[in-house]
Amino acid sequence: MTNQIIIDEIREDEKEQVRNLLVKSYQQYEHSYKDPEIWKWYLENIQASIDNPDVDKILVAKSNQDILGSLQLFQSSEKAYARPELEIFSPIIRLLGVHPEARGRGVAQELLKASVAYAKELGATSLYLHSSDKMHKAIRLYEWFGFKRDQTKEFQNQEILVKCFRFDL
């Protein structure tokens, strides 16, 4: 029998567990970084993100006492990426991660549904997220869920095109 997935806000005592979950979740992309120093910097930023004062809300997906996944919500492109020029003034999802052992159980879908509900509570008309081609499985999930590409809100991060996806509420 599959245990129910509950979405909740992160508690202080769960931060270290979520940090570890994010590292495990994003570890699959290490091979796509040619420079190990850039990979190390990326992982350090992911770990530090849990304490980012600009994050609006961190959601966690739990089954029993196990944290299976997490994502972060920001109120604008300035808060999410220090990029006010993108002019996004709606919630933005960042760092959606699901523990490798919990994949295929609908964890990411539940986190996305909770994000949509939160954006609606705020009275937003859209929910955004950004991704890159190296995260092709995630992009397929976002498109299946109903996110559409919005090229007007994309940006370059060194040699990587950071693609924008928008879910209209």
Side-chain angles (χ1 to χ4, degrees):
M1 181 174 167
T2 309
N3 293 326
Q4 185 178 9
I5 297 169
I6 305 294
I7 306 299
D8 206 353
E9 284 189 59
I10 193 171
R11 296 187 325 245
E12 191 66 34
D13 66 329
E14 295 171 331
K15 286 185 173 183
E16 200 57 39
Q17 193 177 353
V18 171
R19 265 187 251 285
N20 293 333
L21 176 139
L22 286 172
V23 168
K24 285 184 173 104
S25 175
Y26 281 81
Q27 199 75 48
Q28 64 185 315
Y29 303 113
E30 180 177 9
H31 70 277
S32 66
Y33 285 83
K34 295 176 187 132
D35 184 340
E37 287 303 309
I38 292 176
W39 171 249
K40 182 180 171 199
W41 174 84
Y42 184 58
L43 271 187
E44 288 170 356
N45 278 313
I46 288 172
Q47 291 171 310
S49 72
I50 299 300
D51 299 309
N52 183 345
D54 289 329
V55 72
D56 187 46
K57 188 178 283 222
I58 299 176
L59 298 179
V60 292
K62 301 178 192 176
S63 179
N64 297 325
Q65 297 305 312
D66 298 324
I67 296 178
L68 308 176
S70 173
L71 65 70
Q72 299 174 19
L73 288 158
F74 293 81
Q75 289 296 315
S76 68
S77 56
E78 182 171 13
K79 299 253 186 213
Y81 305 111
R83 291 184 177 268
E85 70 275 10
L86 292 177
E87 297 183 343
I88 299 174
F89 304 103
S90 294
I92 298 172
I93 295 170
R94 290 208 60 206
L95 294 170
L96 170 59
V98 175
H99 192 286
E101 293 175 12
R103 291 187 182 143
R105 293 175 49 189
V107 174
Q109 291 174 47
E110 293 302 317
L111 286 163
L112 291 171
K113 286 178 194 173
S115 299
V116 166
Y118 178 66
K120 286 179 178 179
E121 282 175 27
L122 294 176
T125 57
S126 298
L127 175 66
Y128 290 85
L129 59 80
H130 290 80
S131 195
S132 68
D133 284 336
K134 67 176 73 181
M135 298 177 181
H136 59 276
K137 286 182 182 176
I139 289 173
R140 280 201 317 264
L141 168 69
Y142 304 145
E143 291 174 336
W144 172 86
F145 192 86
F147 281 84
K148 304 284 186 226
R149 183 111 178 253
D150 183 348
Q151 294 179 328
T152 67
K153 306 294 184 187
E154 297 182 348
F155 59 94
Q156 285 290 136
N157 186 2
Q158 296 169 5
E159 75 281 353
I160 297 170
L161 173 63
V162 181
K163 295 180 177 180
C164 180
F165 296 86
R166 186 185 73 235
F167 186 91
D168 292 324
L169 304 170

